[in-house]
Amino acid sequence: MTTQAPKKPVIVVGSGLAGLSAAHEALRAGATVRMLDRAPKPGGNSIKASSGINGAGTRFQQSLGIAKDDSFYSDTVRSAGARFAESSPPVDRKALIEILTSQSESAVNWLADELNVDLSVVAQLGGHSVPRTHRGGGKLPPGAAIVSALLDALKANSNFSLENSADVVELLSGDGAVKGVSYQVADGQPHELEGPVVFAAGGFAGDAHGLLSKYRPDLAGIPSTNEARPASHGLLSAVRASFVDMDSVQIHPTGFVDPKDPGSAYKFLAAEALRGEGGILLSAEGKRFINELQTRDVVSAAIMALPHTTVEKTRQWEVTLLLDPGACEATTSHIGFYLWKGLVQKKKVRDLAPEVIASVDKYATLVSENGEDELGRKAFGHWKLPPGEANRDEEVCVGTVTPVVHFTMGGVTFDSQARVLRPKEGGGLVPIPGLWAAGEITGGIHGANRLGGSSLLECAVFGRIAGAEAAKSLTNA
Ligand code: FAD
Ligand code: SIN
């Protein structure tokens, strides 16, 4: 009698949203999954996500009165800018954006219906023509809600295992294909695991002295929302994967300057939803200077054109983020946390500087008359503060913010089946057998600028594709 060799697992490197989504689909396809993460706890940067996940055409959008949303593809292309217009792109940007945007509704439905994540609140972030960034109405931020729901579902499946503090140090290869991984755990001993690999190890915005200084030395000294962590892209280079847009690094316009530690190189993010739900930005002179709902690259550039300061070794700009009572209320769960951390203060309008009161009154007049903003802002979120004496005893929320290194648009090249690509003889790119990727490690979708809410989305959409494809490779083997 012959005994069948046990089926190899799908190996998932990284326990952020891309890895968790891949694991979910691989399990659904009947595979066993071994997930490895070098961090002591799961969730990566995904667990910190604060504004939400994009979806076009969802029932949550419809309940806001948006009957149809067919501008997500064009908004994404516009945001990607010149990178998208390249004559011979190294990856099929059009196909990737088409998949991202057309599968956004099903990604949101998957999380809401199968995993019971509350995504019923929808905000309009910068560069979006309509509100489409989904989060929950409760206290839990969207990243934590999504990650914990997925982890619970995965842990309930006996075919799933997660090992933390397991650092993948090499992709094992033979005959031009990836065959598995080598990893180290606390004992320092090398371990090997064979199987198809989904690489979901995140971006390099926290790798200040490594890839970031290689590709964007000009960003030295700018604080970051990413905790320091070395990038894992070298493991992909070692199997000759190719990379795209590596110098496209996103500067988010608003990281909080903590009054208790103003020079810190690590900043808490002031979620874009704060502006989306009605917040405005004011210069040191107390004046609005930019449409706060422009894309992040445009808002950051406008702030960085203002005079900057250097605190300790950190380069920062220090503008005021101000929310009226309507915007504060619409973001209560965020604001509660920021107040508790001392990053935001509540102040009566009458206690603000005279030039700030003048700007608040001017903006409140614009909103109350639904007028034309000289800076081009068209959506005012939940702003309800009236202009003039009537507002003097109302409380607004104020914090100091500065641009921060936040996200890396560049990464490994991949295709619509989430297969990692390498150069082929004679030109062009070809998939590396046995290797898939998803999430921030990949490049080519966002071009020069990512829209807020589209990272969680790419993790869910391409993570699910990668997991399903990796599992399929086992049944086809
Ligand atoms: P991650 O979630 O970063 O996970 C990667 C994992 O891989 C990590 O746990 C890491 O330890 C592990 N890893 C790396 N190398 C190895 C290795 N060699 N061996 C084993 N494990 C390894 N995006 C949105 O769309 N909406 C938001 O609201 C939003 N808010 C954000 C707020 C903050 C503060 C930050 C920092 C980012 C935010 N983003 C948001 C961006 C988004 O969260 C991330 O880009 C996205 O979650 C990345 O997911 P990922 O799965 O690709 O990687
Ligand atoms: C934020 O909350 O501003 C971050 C959203 C994102 O990075 O997509």
Side-chain angles (χ1 to χ4, degrees), residues 13-19 36-39 43-46 48-52 166-168 200-202 225-226 229 232 235 269 406-407 438-441 450 453-457 459:
V13 182
S15 65
L17 181 56
L36 305 170
D37 197 304
R38 68 182 174 192
N45 272 343
S46 304
K48 299 189 203 165
S50 47
S51 283
D167 188 7
V168 173
T225 58
N226 284 224
R229 81 179 186 199
S232 288
L235 276 63
L269 185 70
H406 180 60
F407 178 88
E440 197 174 339
I441 188 80
R450 173 175 67 80
S454 277
S455 178
L456 291 184
L457 176 62
C459 290

Side-chain angles (χ1 to χ4, degrees), residues 48-52 54 125 133 250 252 254 269-275 296 334 338 406-407 450-456:
K48 299 189 203 165
S50 47
S51 283
N54 295 333
L125 302 190
T133 307
Q250 180 159 74
H252 192 296
T254 61
L269 185 70
E272 192 169 333
L274 302 181
R275 280 174 285 135
R296 290 178 179 173
H334 292 81
Y338 303 143
H406 180 60
F407 178 88
R450 173 175 67 80
L451 289 173
S454 277
S455 178
L456 291 184

Side-chain angles (χ1 to χ4, degrees), residues 36-37 163-168 183-191:
L36 305 170
D37 197 304
E163 207 170 336
N164 278 104
S165 304
D167 188 7
V168 173
Y183 66 101
Q184 284 177 352
V185 288
D187 61 10
Q189 295 301 312
H191 298 260

Side-chain angles (χ1 to χ4, degrees), residues 321-362:
L321 172 63
L322 184 147
L323 284 77
D324 87 315
C328 297
E329 203 178 295
T331 52
T332 322
S333 53
H334 292 81
I335 290 291
F337 176 73
Y338 303 143
L339 283 167
W340 176 73
K341 290 290 283 177
L343 301 168
V344 160
Q345 293 175 319
K346 285 204 168 190
K347 286 187 177 169
K348 283 196 173 166
V349 174
R350 69 169 69 260
D351 296 330
L352 300 171
E355 58 275 21
V356 174
I357 299 179
S359 290
V360 166
D361 280 343
K362 186 173 171 195

